[in-house]
Amino acid sequence: MAIARTYLDWNATAPLSRAARQAMMDAYDLPGNASSVHGEGRAARAALARARAQVSALVGADSQAVTFTSGATEAANMVLTPQFRMGRAPLAVGHLYVSAIEHPALREGGRFAPDSVSEIPVTRTGLLDLDALTNALEAHDSNLGLPMLALMLVNNETGVIQPVADAARLLHAKGGLLVVDAVQAVGRIPVDMAELGADFLIISSHKIGGPKGVGALVARGEVMMPLPLIRGGGQEKGHRSGTENFPGIIGFGAAAEEALALLGERSVRIGGLRFRLEAGMRALAADLIVHGADVERVANTTFFTLPGLKSETGQIAFDLEGVALSAGAACASGKVGESHVLAAMGCDPGLGALRISLGPDTTDTDIDAALVAFGKVAGRRRPAGQAA
């Protein structure tokens, strides 16, 4: 008999929502290319405009400042560049600063040369070290160009909410640009570009119940933009050429609209589930470590260590018990390695850690199943200090 499956890896990807699926099926019935001038083309263009408005509303932005991409990674590579334009005039960015806990899509620096990228440390609680950022900005050579900071709003492993607005004030005082990775934040906490002080914001469709292969770069306005990464036919106002992924974008828009409408309701319910999950885990393993638990986190994420249990071993063990969770970021071709986030927080990354992330469809029954599996896995681990 097959083991019933419990999906608790929503930070890796969310299952396609019914609203997004239906919107995509409707989109397949629209034959026109949005770049065409005939009636069918105009209908497709109107549908894209609606999706653009749905996505922009999720982050409190102007719909005209949304550029659709193939995903968050492309959006990151598009915006992380030393070459910008302010209207028609060139604008140089001299140095990129990234937090030590960034997703690899931003941590690798995009189109910046390696010697033009510096890392800003975090505290032991997983928050950006604002004093270190202040020191880096004071040492920045403005003759090289503006400083840019890439900072995630919510860490994908710990769920810790970063002090983005505080970082923005420090950066803007030096005339710099702030790129915010909001991939794990939208649909889980309120996100408003103006309140955050973000100049650019990156989001992904499949994290909120939309289809995979679609994302967006959202700008504060239309005047200042990076030089295009993909050139060609001039789609997306010339910022990202190539025929748009029409059904994917329509599904993205539907998922964004649903996520915004149900944000408060989902957050409260999911937060209650996580509270019960973590309380149950602590009752089963007194030595449990929940990373980031001392600071504000999004309601759906638990990143934990069971001393004596390696990440890969734990992930396989839970999978065999029918529970899908992860060892952190799920963007490394299935590899399970040491967490750079734990290392940045001053923890021994060799301890190993596992991430449970909940979603809108997670139920009390799922939490029950997770706790049963947790009890079995925790009971089978090697005692602390025993050789592997």
Side-chain angles (χ1 to χ4, degrees):
M1 180 182 296
I3 297 176
R5 301 292 301 175
T6 301
Y7 187 74
L8 298 177
D9 199 15
W10 288 72
N11 284 9
T13 194
L16 188 67
S17 74
R18 287 186 290 274
R21 184 188 299 273
Q22 185 58 57
M24 292 175 71
M25 295 306 296
D26 294 342
Y28 282 116
D29 290 331
L30 292 175
N33 186 317
S35 296
S36 299
V37 298
H38 47 58
E40 289 81 358
R42 293 195 300 275
R45 191 157 57 251
L48 282 183
R50 181 170 186 269
R52 209 179 300 276
Q54 291 169 319
V55 170
S56 66
L58 185 60
V59 296
D62 182 347
S63 65
Q64 297 305 305
V66 174
T67 300
F68 288 115
T69 66
S70 66
T73 296
E74 184 193 323
N77 280 270
M78 176 182 172
V79 72
L80 299 185
T81 175
Q83 295 180 302
F84 277 73
R85 286 198 174 277
M86 179 71 77
R88 295 186 177 181
L91 179 69
V93 176
H95 202 86
L96 172 65
Y97 301 91
V98 297
S99 85
I101 57 170
E102 290 305 300
H103 188 280
L106 288 89
R107 197 165 173 240
E108 292 187 7
R111 291 184 273 176
F112 282 90
D115 61 357
S116 295
V117 181
S118 297
E119 196 170 86
I120 304 298
V122 298
T123 66
R124 295 190 69 86
T125 59
L127 292 168
L128 181 74
D129 188 330
L130 293 172
D131 290 336
L133 175 62
T134 298
N135 293 337
L137 292 173
E138 288 178 351
H140 176 77
D141 185 355
S142 58
N143 293 320
L144 299 176
L146 302 177
M148 174 185 281
L149 173 66
L151 177 63
M152 51 179 33
L153 177 52
V154 169
N155 182 258
N156 54 308
E157 295 190 7
T158 63
V160 169
I161 300 171
Q162 298 299 311
V164 170
D166 293 333
R169 284 188 283 272
L170 294 173
L171 189 67
H172 290 156
K174 297 293 183 179
L177 302 179
L178 176 62
V179 175
V180 175
D181 172 0
V183 167
Q184 297 290 351
V186 291
R188 294 175 183 146
I189 59 174
V191 177
D192 185 280
M193 284 193 72
E195 291 182 3
L196 291 173
D199 296 291
F200 296 93
L201 190 145
I202 297 167
I203 51 180
S204 175
S205 165
H206 74 100
K207 304 294 187 178
I208 59 170
K212 302 175 181 70
V214 189
L217 177 67
V218 186
R220 184 175 59 182
E222 296 185 80
V223 176
M224 180 178 59
M225 288 295 291
L227 291 190
L229 176 66
I230 299 177
R231 303 171 186 268
Q235 289 86 352
E236 296 296 294
K237 296 186 178 181
H239 302 310
R240 199 277 188 184
S241 292
T243 301
E244 293 92 348
N245 176 1
F246 184 69
I249 290 171
I250 300 306
F252 187 9
E257 182 174 73
E258 183 178 48
L260 181 60
L262 299 178
L263 175 62
E265 172 189 324
R266 287 176 170 177
S267 180
V268 171
R269 191 184 71 81
I270 291 171
L273 291 175
R274 189 189 68 181
F275 179 84
R276 191 163 78 82
L277 171 70
E278 292 186 355
M281 292 166 66
R282 292 186 190 282
L284 291 166
D287 57 347
L288 176 77
I289 302 168
V290 177
H291 302 285
D294 295 331
V295 293
E296 188 177 9
R297 294 176 289 160
V298 287
N300 81 313
T301 303
T302 297
F303 192 46
F304 67 93
T305 289
L306 273 172
L309 182 68
K310 294 182 178 179
S311 299
E312 185 171 10
T313 303
Q315 191 170 6
I316 294 171
F318 274 97
D319 191 46
L320 291 173
E321 295 295 336
V323 176
L325 46 68
S326 74
C331 299
S333 300
K335 298 176 182 176
V336 178
E338 293 185 349
S339 168
H340 73 280
V341 174
L342 286 184
M345 292 169 64
C347 302
D348 177 5
L351 284 175
L354 297 169
R355 182 187 68 190
I356 290 176
S357 47
L358 315 180
D361 294 341
T362 304
T363 65
D364 282 297
T365 300
D366 293 328
I367 300 302
D368 292 339
L371 289 173
V372 169
F374 180 89
K376 292 179 180 179
V377 173
R380 291 196 299 261
R381 62 189 162 134
R382 294 178 183 275
Q386 182 175 321

